[in-house]
Amino acid sequence: MAIRNPFNPSFGGKPQYFFGRKREVDIVSDALENPTSPYRALFFTGNRGCGKTALLERISELASEAKWLSVDVHSAHASQSIVRKLVGATSETTERTAEPSVGFAGASLKAGSPKTSKTNAYDALDLSDVLLQTCGSLKRHEGVFITVDEIQKIPESDMENLCAAVQMSMRKGMPVALMLAGLPGSKELVSSYKGCTFMRRVTDVRLDSLLVSETYTAFRHLIGMTSDVEATDDAIDEMARYSQGYPYLMQLIGFHTLGAVPLTELRQIRVIDQHAVRFAEAEAYEQFRANVLDPVIAELSPEHRNYLRAMAEALDEDGQARTADVASIMEKNQRQLSTVRDRLIRKRIIVVGARGYVRYNLPRMRQYFTDPIVFPPFGVEDTWLHE
């Protein structure tokens, strides 16, 4: 009998069950009820796989439950998509189509039944008017709740149009909320546009790994949803340790661990132990590397990559690397590498640890940079082999 697997590691998709992010959800819930909340416009930013899309889905559901009109769009033609979802079709054309008619003299044609086709008379440039009109005529809804994913991909002109519409609605005291999600740096990018300078005042909610308590609770809850499987405390510890609370990796290790549990007789409880989790780690890592680590690292210059590779050699037992040791491995001084380090911090690939130390901000990076097949040791070959 197959196990009903509650984990869903489809990348960038909606998980079967949402977990964690209580602080972020509470912020939005309060903003829905409090018209003076400063959090009716928010950026959610983080690296791939941190759960941005899942969070947008969850808060959109909360908005709908709170009787807000929820409008969810992606980065492609965002303004036009919002207009279309707010007003739908606004004009119609009636056409009559000839249909065959059979009589005593043979076949002939007669006028058919009228067919109505609807077209949208608005375009993206009308977003400000449409949003104000919608907010002013709300009857069954508390307000308009807009979420936009992949914000860094929106063209500047489209983003300026969206910002202008939301800013005008808020200026008029209309009940509007705007929730944006994107990669690290997307807030700075959007705020640099001429028509979006007010976005500099919008809070950037930075998403990384879940809290330790949220991680353990999520694993216990999801595994507890299966009817004939239970996990030992050591197994839960191993899944939490391996995933480091990173949402996509949590989904992967949970999915592959449950998928590897052997079948037994009906109604017999199957136990997941630490060994079962370790057996699933290789499969989870391959997918995490392909969908998260490879794209992140591919966007970096060779010097930035080499800094990350040197960190792998310099890491101590606490998972931190002394910046002086990193420089020594790269045969440079720290001042020469300060710009490289700062850019990696801004991109949230690494974070500052104790004074004079840095650490990785994505799980499994040490494993990634110590793979002898992908990366030769320093001094053996200086070219980047992973491309």
Side-chain angles (χ1 to χ4, degrees):
M1 179 180 178
I3 299 171
R4 185 175 69 88
N5 200 323
F7 293 93
N8 178 25
S10 58
F11 191 73
K14 178 182 178 181
Q16 296 180 72
Y17 304 100
F18 181 82
F19 52 77
R21 303 297 184 204
K22 182 179 184 304
R23 170 182 170 271
E24 292 81 2
V25 169
D26 286 347
I27 288 174
V28 176
S29 296
D30 179 71
L32 292 172
E33 299 177 2
N34 182 3
T36 63
S37 171
Y39 303 123
R40 284 198 168 179
L42 289 172
F43 279 92
F44 295 103
T45 60
N47 283 299
R48 293 172 173 85
C50 72
K52 298 184 295 295
T53 301
L55 179 58
L56 282 189
E57 283 291 322
R58 179 57 185 147
I59 61 177
S60 177
E61 291 171 356
L62 288 175
S64 296
E65 292 167 6
K67 307 302 182 184
W68 283 62
L69 175 59
S70 189
V71 179
D72 305 316
V73 298
H74 204 265
S75 56
H77 310 296
S79 295
Q80 184 176 341
S81 297
I82 295 170
V83 169
R84 189 184 308 117
K85 292 188 178 186
L86 288 178
V87 300
T90 58
S91 65
E92 59 184 43
T93 303
T94 301
E95 300 175 349
R96 291 183 178 274
T97 305
E99 296 178 350
S101 175
V102 179
F104 290 107
S108 62
L109 295 176
K110 70 175 183 178
S113 302
K115 293 185 178 182
T116 302
S117 62
K118 293 186 176 183
T119 58
N120 196 336
Y122 293 101
D123 61 27
L125 295 178
D126 297 309
L127 179 56
S128 287
D129 292 336
V130 168
L131 191 54
L132 283 169
Q133 180 181 342
T134 302
C135 290
S137 60
L138 290 171
K139 294 180 179 179
R140 296 183 298 108
H141 298 96
E142 297 292 330
V144 178
F145 188 87
I146 301 171
T147 73
V148 187
D149 205 0
E150 300 283 0
I151 196 71
Q152 72 279 351
K153 295 181 180 179
I154 296 183
E156 183 173 347
S157 58
D158 197 19
M159 193 66 228
E160 289 180 342
N161 189 36
L162 173 58
C163 287
V166 172
Q167 186 178 19
M168 178 57 71
S169 297
M170 290 181 171
R171 171 183 160 186
K172 297 292 185 181
M174 296 298 181
V176 174
L178 177 63
M179 306 287 150
L180 309 172
L183 295 175
S186 58
K187 181 195 172 183
E188 291 77 8
L189 175 66
V190 169
S191 299
S192 70
Y193 299 156
K194 284 185 178 180
C196 301
T197 53
F198 92 100
M199 299 300 282
R200 295 171 185 168
R201 303 190 297 273
V202 174
T203 300
D204 185 358
V205 180
R206 300 185 173 192
L207 303 180
D208 291 305
S209 293
L210 301 185
L211 300 174
V212 173
S213 59
E214 290 180 327
T215 302
Y216 277 80
T217 297
F219 278 125
R220 290 194 176 101
H221 177 71
L222 292 182
I223 293 174
M225 297 181 70
T226 58
S227 59
D228 58 351
V229 176
E230 62 183 31
T232 65
D233 288 342
D234 286 343
I236 298 293
D237 283 338
E238 181 68 17
M239 283 189 281
R241 180 201 64 79
Y242 185 79
S243 67
Q244 297 176 37
Y246 203 76
Y248 179 53
L249 191 52
M250 290 174 67
Q251 296 281 5
L252 285 170
I253 193 61
F255 179 83
H256 289 294
T257 297
L258 282 178
V261 176
L263 300 179
T264 61
E265 295 297 325
L266 189 64
R267 297 189 181 89
Q268 183 176 341
I269 298 297
R270 287 168 272 191
V271 177
I272 298 173
D273 59 17
Q274 192 176 33
H275 300 293
V277 180
R278 288 177 176 170
F279 182 79
E281 287 174 359
E283 199 72 35
Y285 171 73
E286 286 301 315
Q287 287 183 255
F288 186 74
R289 189 199 69 187
N291 290 326
V292 175
L293 298 180
D294 280 347
V296 168
I297 303 306
E299 295 173 353
L300 302 176
S301 70
E303 191 170 25
H304 290 92
R305 296 165 178 171
N306 280 331
Y307 191 96
L308 296 172
R309 185 163 60 134
M311 279 182 62
E313 294 190 23
L315 287 182
D316 60 20
E317 293 180 355
D318 296 325
Q320 298 188 113
R322 198 162 69 102
T323 55
D325 294 338
V326 174
S328 176
I329 292 170
M330 297 181 68
E331 298 182 350
K332 294 186 178 183
N333 61 56
Q334 293 187 67
R335 182 174 297 179
Q336 288 175 303
L337 295 171
S338 61
T339 302
V340 173
R341 181 188 65 247
D342 291 346
R343 179 167 175 77
L344 290 172
I345 291 172
R346 285 197 303 273
K347 293 179 74 67
R348 282 185 248 162
I349 297 173
I350 65 175
V351 293
V352 176
R355 184 176 177 81
Y357 287 81
V358 288
R359 60 182 176 84
Y360 292 132
N361 196 38
L362 287 168
R364 316 319 309 168
M365 288 194 76
R366 184 175 195 172
Q367 181 178 354
Y368 187 86
F369 282 101
T370 55
D371 185 339
I373 297 177
V374 178
F375 307 110
F378 276 97
V380 175
E381 178 61 60
D382 290 332
T383 57
W384 192 261
L385 300 184
H386 198 57
E387 297 180 328

